[in-house]
Amino acid sequence: MGDFVIRLLAVVAAACLLPAASALAAPGDDGMERLFTFKDERITESSGLAVSPTHDGVYYTHNDSAAAPVFYAVDGGGRTLATFQLRGAEARDWEAMAASKDPATGRGVLWFADIGDNLDGAWPNVSVYKVMEPRNLTDATLPAVRYRFRYADGARNAEGIMVNPRTGRLYVVSKEFAGSVYAAPKKLRTDRVNVLRKVTGAPIMATDAAYAPDGSSYVVRTYFSATVYKPSGEVLTRVTMPDLKQAESIAYTADGKALLTGSEGPRSPVYRVPIPEAAQPTPTPTPTPTPSEGEAEESAQAAAESGGLTGTDVLIWLAAAVLAIGVITFLARRTR
């Protein structure tokens, strides 16, 4: 019963906080625009979003849980160009995707994360599938490589993955009240379960994450907003997001100057949201060393503190929690 109450509290509180946060950060004339709407009636729960690394003006998405291992390529008008089935994959609860480039061949690589675990431990391990990006945008069945993962500190729910384009390392972002960024091993193995280790903190209830194309930053999306970080975990900026039905996805534009965000639901929209200029990549970025695990762990506490909620957010959350408790108490009395 205790777990049920906690989960119900989280759902009600999140529902209460969303409109309050939107009211505090109402978008103005900031360049935010609706880029397109998915027109394919099969795309009903767009949960992952990525920009093609090799096809200009092409975007990828996939549905959420209870769907087949399928993803879609769409154009800048939201029209489906091709549908791809994955061979050797299953879709238990696909929650996110990422795109990168193979440094040796220059080919695009797509990653699909079957990492949803709403019971926080229902699955002994979770999976991420690696697929070479198709050269031709025509319907096809593609082979997938499966990597299995477990968390070093115990099972948890997650909805975000990202790949650092400089190092090729995969990261998973958990969806919790005190979320975390987990790093995969530098070299992934298919013959055993890979271990994910916490390297820094993440905002509350993260629903997706993505790395900038040049590796200079990464972003974590929540139901309420998005936060852009340096690779070390230091906050660069927070970005107001559009008011969406169920904010589930985020990606960078190809030039790294804006974010793309989408929602679940039939004919759901995808918005383009500019990143503040101070947090955008420079025209000729100078490569910086990737922090070691020790350096990342040293910055974890500071990142967790700065990457979470602001004081105003906390007050809103507390107010929402009080309201949620009242709702739960009322329902409990009605159902005695």
Side-chain angles (χ1 to χ4, degrees), residues 267-297:
R267 298 184 65 82
S268 57
V270 170
Y271 281 83
R272 180 186 183 278
V273 184
I275 298 173
E277 191 171 346
Q280 290 181 10
T282 56
T284 54
T286 301
T288 56
T290 302
S292 65
E293 285 193 17
E295 291 172 330
E297 288 173 356

PDB file of all heavy atoms in Angstrom, residues 267-297:
ATOM      1  N   ARG A 267      -1.034  12.321 -34.007  1.00  0.00           N
ATOM      2  CA  ARG A 267      -0.757  13.594 -34.667  1.00  0.00           C
ATOM      3  C   ARG A 267      -0.093  14.594 -33.710  1.00  0.00           C
ATOM      4  O   ARG A 267      -0.453  15.764 -33.643  1.00  0.00           O
ATOM      5  CB  ARG A 267      -2.031  14.186 -35.276  1.00  0.00           C
ATOM      6  CG  ARG A 267      -2.654  13.318 -36.350  1.00  0.00           C
ATOM      7  CD  ARG A 267      -3.855  13.990 -37.001  1.00  0.00           C
ATOM      8  NE  ARG A 267      -3.458  15.190 -37.732  1.00  0.00           N
ATOM      9  CZ  ARG A 267      -2.954  15.202 -38.968  1.00  0.00           C
ATOM     10  NH1 ARG A 267      -2.787  14.059 -39.624  1.00  0.00           N
ATOM     11  NH2 ARG A 267      -2.620  16.342 -39.561  1.00  0.00           N
ATOM     12  N   SER A 268       0.888  14.103 -32.990  1.00  0.00           N
ATOM     13  CA  SER A 268       1.565  14.946 -32.007  1.00  0.00           C
ATOM     14  C   SER A 268       2.559  15.895 -32.695  1.00  0.00           C
ATOM     15  O   SER A 268       3.133  15.562 -33.731  1.00  0.00           O
ATOM     16  CB  SER A 268       2.294  14.085 -30.975  1.00  0.00           C
ATOM     17  OG  SER A 268       3.203  13.215 -31.611  1.00  0.00           O
ATOM     18  N   PRO A 269       2.775  17.063 -32.115  1.00  0.00           N
ATOM     19  CA  PRO A 269       3.664  18.062 -32.730  1.00  0.00           C
ATOM     20  C   PRO A 269       5.104  17.906 -32.272  1.00  0.00           C
ATOM     21  O   PRO A 269       5.393  17.347 -31.212  1.00  0.00           O
ATOM     22  CB  PRO A 269       3.082  19.380 -32.214  1.00  0.00           C
ATOM     23  CG  PRO A 269       2.570  19.031 -30.848  1.00  0.00           C
ATOM     24  CD  PRO A 269       2.059  17.611 -30.946  1.00  0.00           C
ATOM     25  N   VAL A 270       6.005  18.439 -33.080  1.00  0.00           N
ATOM     26  CA  VAL A 270       7.411  18.569 -32.708  1.00  0.00           C
ATOM     27  C   VAL A 270       7.763  20.053 -32.790  1.00  0.00           C
ATOM     28  O   VAL A 270       7.498  20.700 -33.816  1.00  0.00           O
ATOM     29  CB  VAL A 270       8.335  17.755 -33.629  1.00  0.00           C
ATOM     30  CG1 VAL A 270       9.802  18.105 -33.370  1.00  0.00           C
ATOM     31  CG2 VAL A 270       8.099  16.263 -33.426  1.00  0.00           C
ATOM     32  N   TYR A 271       8.309  20.598 -31.712  1.00  0.00           N
ATOM     33  CA  TYR A 271       8.652  22.018 -31.649  1.00  0.00           C
ATOM     34  C   TYR A 271      10.159  22.217 -31.739  1.00  0.00           C
ATOM     35  O   TYR A 271      10.940  21.380 -31.265  1.00  0.00           O
ATOM     36  CB  TYR A 271       8.159  22.629 -30.336  1.00  0.00           C
ATOM     37  CG  TYR A 271       6.684  22.954 -30.327  1.00  0.00           C
ATOM     38  CD1 TYR A 271       5.734  21.976 -30.045  1.00  0.00           C
ATOM     39  CD2 TYR A 271       6.244  24.243 -30.599  1.00  0.00           C
ATOM     40  CE1 TYR A 271       4.380  22.269 -30.028  1.00  0.00           C
ATOM     41  CE2 TYR A 271       4.893  24.550 -30.586  1.00  0.00           C
ATOM     42  CZ  TYR A 271       3.965  23.561 -30.312  1.00  0.00           C
ATOM     43  OH  TYR A 271       2.634  23.861 -30.316  1.00  0.00           O
ATOM     44  N   ARG A 272      10.537  23.343 -32.310  1.00  0.00           N
ATOM     45  CA  ARG A 272      11.930  23.781 -32.322  1.00  0.00           C
ATOM     46  C   ARG A 272      12.057  24.923 -31.326  1.00  0.00           C
ATOM     47  O   ARG A 272      11.339  25.926 -31.414  1.00  0.00           O
ATOM     48  CB  ARG A 272      12.336  24.257 -33.720  1.00  0.00           C
ATOM     49  CG  ARG A 272      13.786  24.722 -33.823  1.00  0.00           C
ATOM     50  CD  ARG A 272      14.073  25.316 -35.208  1.00  0.00           C
ATOM     51  NE  ARG A 272      15.476  25.696 -35.355  1.00  0.00           N
ATOM     52  CZ  ARG A 272      16.004  26.831 -34.908  1.00  0.00           C
ATOM     53  NH1 ARG A 272      15.228  27.719 -34.288  1.00  0.00           N
ATOM     54  NH2 ARG A 272      17.283  27.092 -35.083  1.00  0.00           N
ATOM     55  N   VAL A 273      12.974  24.763 -30.363  1.00  0.00           N
ATOM     56  CA  VAL A 273      13.154  25.754 -29.301  1.00  0.00           C
ATOM     57  C   VAL A 273      14.609  26.219 -29.297  1.00  0.00           C
ATOM     58  O   VAL A 273      15.513  25.416 -29.039  1.00  0.00           O
ATOM     59  CB  VAL A 273      12.789  25.163 -27.926  1.00  0.00           C
ATOM     60  CG1 VAL A 273      12.893  26.238 -26.849  1.00  0.00           C
ATOM     61  CG2 VAL A 273      11.399  24.544 -27.947  1.00  0.00           C
ATOM     62  N   PRO A 274      14.873  27.489 -29.572  1.00  0.00           N
ATOM     63  CA  PRO A 274      16.264  27.974 -29.592  1.00  0.00           C
ATOM     64  C   PRO A 274      16.934  27.845 -28.226  1.00  0.00           C
ATOM     65  O   PRO A 274      16.298  28.033 -27.183  1.00  0.00           O
ATOM     66  CB  PRO A 274      16.123  29.446 -29.989  1.00  0.00           C
ATOM     67  CG  PRO A 274      14.777  29.554 -30.632  1.00  0.00           C
ATOM     68  CD  PRO A 274      13.915  28.546 -29.943  1.00  0.00           C
ATOM     69  N   ILE A 275      18.222  27.528 -28.242  1.00  0.00           N
ATOM     70  CA  ILE A 275      19.025  27.521 -27.025  1.00  0.00           C
ATOM     71  C   ILE A 275      19.600  28.921 -26.848  1.00  0.00           C
ATOM     72  O   ILE A 275      20.034  29.542 -27.829  1.00  0.00           O
ATOM     73  CB  ILE A 275      20.176  26.497 -27.138  1.00  0.00           C
ATOM     74  CG1 ILE A 275      19.604  25.090 -27.313  1.00  0.00           C
ATOM     75  CG2 ILE A 275      21.078  26.547 -25.913  1.00  0.00           C
ATOM     76  CD1 ILE A 275      20.667  24.045 -27.612  1.00  0.00           C
ATOM     77  N   PRO A 276      19.589  29.472 -25.639  1.00  0.00           N
ATOM     78  CA  PRO A 276      20.208  30.787 -25.435  1.00  0.00           C
ATOM     79  C   PRO A 276      21.617  30.831 -26.025  1.00  0.00           C
ATOM     80  O   PRO A 276      22.377  29.873 -25.928  1.00  0.00           O
ATOM     81  CB  PRO A 276      20.222  30.924 -23.909  1.00  0.00           C
ATOM     82  CG  PRO A 276      19.046  30.112 -23.463  1.00  0.00           C
ATOM     83  CD  PRO A 276      18.982  28.946 -24.408  1.00  0.00           C
ATOM     84  N   GLU A 277      21.953  31.948 -26.629  1.00  0.00           N
ATOM     85  CA  GLU A 277      23.210  32.067 -27.389  1.00  0.00           C
ATOM     86  C   GLU A 277      24.434  31.716 -26.552  1.00  0.00           C
ATOM     87  O   GLU A 277      25.394  31.104 -27.052  1.00  0.00           O
ATOM     88  CB  GLU A 277      23.341  33.487 -27.944  1.00  0.00           C
ATOM     89  CG  GLU A 277      24.462  33.638 -28.946  1.00  0.00           C
ATOM     90  CD  GLU A 277      24.430  34.988 -29.651  1.00  0.00           C
ATOM     91  OE1 GLU A 277      23.398  35.686 -29.561  1.00  0.00           O
ATOM     92  OE2 GLU A 277      25.442  35.328 -30.283  1.00  0.00           O
ATOM     93  N   ALA A 278      24.403  32.069 -25.280  1.00  0.00           N
ATOM     94  CA  ALA A 278      25.563  31.814 -24.420  1.00  0.00           C
ATOM     95  C   ALA A 278      25.844  30.328 -24.259  1.00  0.00           C
ATOM     96  O   ALA A 278      26.977  29.931 -23.950  1.00  0.00           O
ATOM     97  CB  ALA A 278      25.338  32.449 -23.050  1.00  0.00           C
ATOM     98  N   ALA A 279      24.820  29.488 -24.470  1.00  0.00           N
ATOM     99  CA  ALA A 279      24.990  28.048 -24.287  1.00  0.00           C
ATOM    100  C   ALA A 279      25.131  27.304 -25.605  1.00  0.00           C
ATOM    101  O   ALA A 279      25.219  26.074 -25.613  1.00  0.00           O
ATOM    102  CB  ALA A 279      23.797  27.481 -23.503  1.00  0.00           C
ATOM    103  N   GLN A 280      25.144  28.044 -26.708  1.00  0.00           N
ATOM    104  CA  GLN A 280      25.284  27.402 -28.016  1.00  0.00           C
ATOM    105  C   GLN A 280      26.742  27.073 -28.288  1.00  0.00           C
ATOM    106  O   GLN A 280      27.643  27.709 -27.744  1.00  0.00           O
ATOM    107  CB  GLN A 280      24.753  28.331 -29.114  1.00  0.00           C
ATOM    108  CG  GLN A 280      23.257  28.521 -29.108  1.00  0.00           C
ATOM    109  CD  GLN A 280      22.796  29.429 -30.231  1.00  0.00           C
ATOM    110  OE1 GLN A 280      23.574  29.760 -31.121  1.00  0.00           O
ATOM    111  NE2 GLN A 280      21.540  29.828 -30.193  1.00  0.00           N
ATOM    112  N   PRO A 281      26.998  26.106 -29.175  1.00  0.00           N
ATOM    113  CA  PRO A 281      28.387  25.791 -29.521  1.00  0.00           C
ATOM    114  C   PRO A 281      29.031  26.939 -30.277  1.00  0.00           C
ATOM    115  O   PRO A 281      28.354  27.669 -31.000  1.00  0.00           O
ATOM    116  CB  PRO A 281      28.255  24.545 -30.407  1.00  0.00           C
ATOM    117  CG  PRO A 281      26.874  24.625 -30.972  1.00  0.00           C
ATOM    118  CD  PRO A 281      26.038  25.243 -29.886  1.00  0.00           C
ATOM    119  N   THR A 282      30.332  27.115 -30.109  1.00  0.00           N
ATOM    120  CA  THR A 282      31.050  28.138 -30.854  1.00  0.00           C
ATOM    121  C   THR A 282      31.250  27.649 -32.287  1.00  0.00           C
ATOM    122  O   THR A 282      31.227  26.450 -32.555  1.00  0.00           O
ATOM    123  CB  THR A 282      32.422  28.417 -30.209  1.00  0.00           C
ATOM    124  OG1 THR A 282      33.138  27.188 -30.134  1.00  0.00           O
ATOM    125  CG2 THR A 282      32.245  28.990 -28.827  1.00  0.00           C
ATOM    126  N   PRO A 283      31.446  28.562 -33.264  1.00  0.00           N
ATOM    127  CA  PRO A 283      31.608  28.141 -34.661  1.00  0.00           C
ATOM    128  C   PRO A 283      32.741  27.149 -34.871  1.00  0.00           C
ATOM    129  O   PRO A 283      32.644  26.257 -35.685  1.00  0.00           O
ATOM    130  CB  PRO A 283      31.882  29.459 -35.388  1.00  0.00           C
ATOM    131  CG  PRO A 283      31.283  30.512 -34.507  1.00  0.00           C
ATOM    132  CD  PRO A 283      31.444  30.020 -33.108  1.00  0.00           C
ATOM    133  N   THR A 284      33.852  27.321 -34.128  1.00  0.00           N
ATOM    134  CA  THR A 284      34.972  26.379 -34.244  1.00  0.00           C
ATOM    135  C   THR A 284      35.323  25.881 -32.847  1.00  0.00           C
ATOM    136  O   THR A 284      36.269  26.372 -32.225  1.00  0.00           O
ATOM    137  CB  THR A 284      36.194  27.057 -34.881  1.00  0.00           C
ATOM    138  OG1 THR A 284      36.511  28.253 -34.138  1.00  0.00           O
ATOM    139  CG2 THR A 284      35.920  27.435 -36.320  1.00  0.00           C
ATOM    140  N   PRO A 285      34.543  24.935 -32.342  1.00  0.00           N
ATOM    141  CA  PRO A 285      34.767  24.468 -30.972  1.00  0.00           C
ATOM    142  C   PRO A 285      36.136  23.808 -30.808  1.00  0.00           C
ATOM    143  O   PRO A 285      36.592  23.083 -31.680  1.00  0.00           O
ATOM    144  CB  PRO A 285      33.637  23.448 -30.759  1.00  0.00           C
ATOM    145  CG  PRO A 285      33.282  22.992 -32.138  1.00  0.00           C
ATOM    146  CD  PRO A 285      33.480  24.192 -33.015  1.00  0.00           C
ATOM    147  N   THR A 286      36.770  24.112 -29.701  1.00  0.00           N
ATOM    148  CA  THR A 286      38.056  23.496 -29.390  1.00  0.00           C
ATOM    149  C   THR A 286      37.802  22.261 -28.548  1.00  0.00           C
ATOM    150  O   THR A 286      37.170  22.345 -27.492  1.00  0.00           O
ATOM    151  CB  THR A 286      38.947  24.471 -28.586  1.00  0.00           C
ATOM    152  OG1 THR A 286      39.133  25.650 -29.372  1.00  0.00           O
ATOM    153  CG2 THR A 286      40.294  23.834 -28.258  1.00  0.00           C
ATOM    154  N   PRO A 287      38.259  21.081 -28.986  1.00  0.00           N
ATOM    155  CA  PRO A 287      38.023  19.857 -28.209  1.00  0.00           C
ATOM    156  C   PRO A 287      38.602  19.990 -26.811  1.00  0.00           C
ATOM    157  O   PRO A 287      39.690  20.524 -26.617  1.00  0.00           O
ATOM    158  CB  PRO A 287      38.760  18.774 -29.015  1.00  0.00           C
ATOM    159  CG  PRO A 287      38.893  19.344 -30.398  1.00  0.00           C
ATOM    160  CD  PRO A 287      39.014  20.814 -30.226  1.00  0.00           C
ATOM    161  N   THR A 288      37.846  19.525 -25.828  1.00  0.00           N
ATOM    162  CA  THR A 288      38.303  19.527 -24.450  1.00  0.00           C
ATOM    163  C   THR A 288      38.350  18.099 -23.955  1.00  0.00           C
ATOM    164  O   THR A 288      37.534  17.271 -24.375  1.00  0.00           O
ATOM    165  CB  THR A 288      37.355  20.352 -23.565  1.00  0.00           C
ATOM    166  OG1 THR A 288      36.031  19.827 -23.707  1.00  0.00           O
ATOM    167  CG2 THR A 288      37.355  21.801 -23.968  1.00  0.00           C
ATOM    168  N   PRO A 289      39.255  17.801 -23.064  1.00  0.00           N
ATOM    169  CA  PRO A 289      39.350  16.426 -22.571  1.00  0.00           C
ATOM    170  C   PRO A 289      38.061  16.019 -21.878  1.00  0.00           C
ATOM    171  O   PRO A 289      37.460  16.806 -21.146  1.00  0.00           O
ATOM    172  CB  PRO A 289      40.525  16.477 -21.578  1.00  0.00           C
ATOM    173  CG  PRO A 289      41.271  17.727 -21.927  1.00  0.00           C
ATOM    174  CD  PRO A 289      40.264  18.674 -22.467  1.00  0.00           C
ATOM    175  N   THR A 290      37.619  14.784 -22.116  1.00  0.00           N
ATOM    176  CA  THR A 290      36.461  14.253 -21.420  1.00  0.00           C
ATOM    177  C   THR A 290      36.860  13.965 -19.984  1.00  0.00           C
ATOM    178  O   THR A 290      37.901  13.359 -19.741  1.00  0.00           O
ATOM    179  CB  THR A 290      35.978  12.954 -22.090  1.00  0.00           C
ATOM    180  OG1 THR A 290      35.674  13.247 -23.450  1.00  0.00           O
ATOM    181  CG2 THR A 290      34.754  12.404 -21.394  1.00  0.00           C
ATOM    182  N   PRO A 291      36.073  14.395 -18.996  1.00  0.00           N
ATOM    183  CA  PRO A 291      36.463  14.168 -17.604  1.00  0.00           C
ATOM    184  C   PRO A 291      36.537  12.689 -17.284  1.00  0.00           C
ATOM    185  O   PRO A 291      35.768  11.894 -17.806  1.00  0.00           O
ATOM    186  CB  PRO A 291      35.342  14.867 -16.804  1.00  0.00           C
ATOM    187  CG  PRO A 291      34.182  14.930 -17.738  1.00  0.00           C
ATOM    188  CD  PRO A 291      34.786  15.086 -19.102  1.00  0.00           C
ATOM    189  N   SER A 292      37.505  12.334 -16.451  1.00  0.00           N
ATOM    190  CA  SER A 292      37.618  10.948 -16.027  1.00  0.00           C
ATOM    191  C   SER A 292      36.461  10.615 -15.104  1.00  0.00           C
ATOM    192  O   SER A 292      35.726  11.497 -14.649  1.00  0.00           O
ATOM    193  CB  SER A 292      38.939  10.745 -15.278  1.00  0.00           C
ATOM    194  OG  SER A 292      38.917  11.503 -14.067  1.00  0.00           O
ATOM    195  N   GLU A 293      36.309   9.311 -14.790  1.00  0.00           N
ATOM    196  CA  GLU A 293      35.225   8.916 -13.891  1.00  0.00           C
ATOM    197  C   GLU A 293      35.393   9.594 -12.545  1.00  0.00           C
ATOM    198  O   GLU A 293      34.428  10.001 -11.914  1.00  0.00           O
ATOM    199  CB  GLU A 293      35.196   7.399 -13.738  1.00  0.00           C
ATOM    200  CG  GLU A 293      34.629   6.677 -14.943  1.00  0.00           C
ATOM    201  CD  GLU A 293      34.312   5.220 -14.636  1.00  0.00           C
ATOM    202  OE1 GLU A 293      34.221   4.863 -13.451  1.00  0.00           O
ATOM    203  OE2 GLU A 293      34.152   4.451 -15.588  1.00  0.00           O
ATOM    204  N   GLY A 294      36.660   9.752 -12.074  1.00  0.00           N
ATOM    205  CA  GLY A 294      36.883  10.406 -10.791  1.00  0.00           C
ATOM    206  C   GLY A 294      36.437  11.849 -10.821  1.00  0.00           C
ATOM    207  O   GLY A 294      35.782  12.330  -9.900  1.00  0.00           O
ATOM    208  N   GLU A 295      36.775  12.559 -11.908  1.00  0.00           N
ATOM    209  CA  GLU A 295      36.380  13.962 -12.037  1.00  0.00           C
ATOM    210  C   GLU A 295      34.872  14.079 -12.132  1.00  0.00           C
ATOM    211  O   GLU A 295      34.269  14.992 -11.559  1.00  0.00           O
ATOM    212  CB  GLU A 295      37.036  14.574 -13.271  1.00  0.00           C
ATOM    213  CG  GLU A 295      38.544  14.737 -13.140  1.00  0.00           C
ATOM    214  CD  GLU A 295      39.168  15.161 -14.459  1.00  0.00           C
ATOM    215  OE1 GLU A 295      38.618  14.800 -15.527  1.00  0.00           O
ATOM    216  OE2 GLU A 295      40.193  15.830 -14.426  1.00  0.00           O
ATOM    217  N   ALA A 296      34.252  13.143 -12.863  1.00  0.00           N
ATOM    218  CA  ALA A 296      32.794  13.182 -12.993  1.00  0.00           C
ATOM    219  C   ALA A 296      32.128  12.949 -11.655  1.00  0.00           C
ATOM    220  O   ALA A 296      31.146  13.610 -11.310  1.00  0.00           O
ATOM    221  CB  ALA A 296      32.335  12.130 -14.003  1.00  0.00           C
ATOM    222  N   GLU A 297      32.691  12.016 -10.859  1.00  0.00           N
ATOM    223  CA  GLU A 297      32.101  11.735  -9.561  1.00  0.00           C
ATOM    224  C   GLU A 297      32.277  12.913  -8.615  1.00  0.00           C
ATOM    225  O   GLU A 297      31.403  13.216  -7.800  1.00  0.00           O
ATOM    226  CB  GLU A 297      32.733  10.473  -8.981  1.00  0.00           C
ATOM    227  CG  GLU A 297      32.292   9.206  -9.707  1.00  0.00           C
ATOM    228  CD  GLU A 297      33.049   7.978  -9.253  1.00  0.00           C
ATOM    229  OE1 GLU A 297      33.968   8.123  -8.420  1.00  0.00           O
ATOM    230  OE2 GLU A 297      32.725   6.893  -9.737  1.00  0.00           O
TER     231      GLU A 297
END
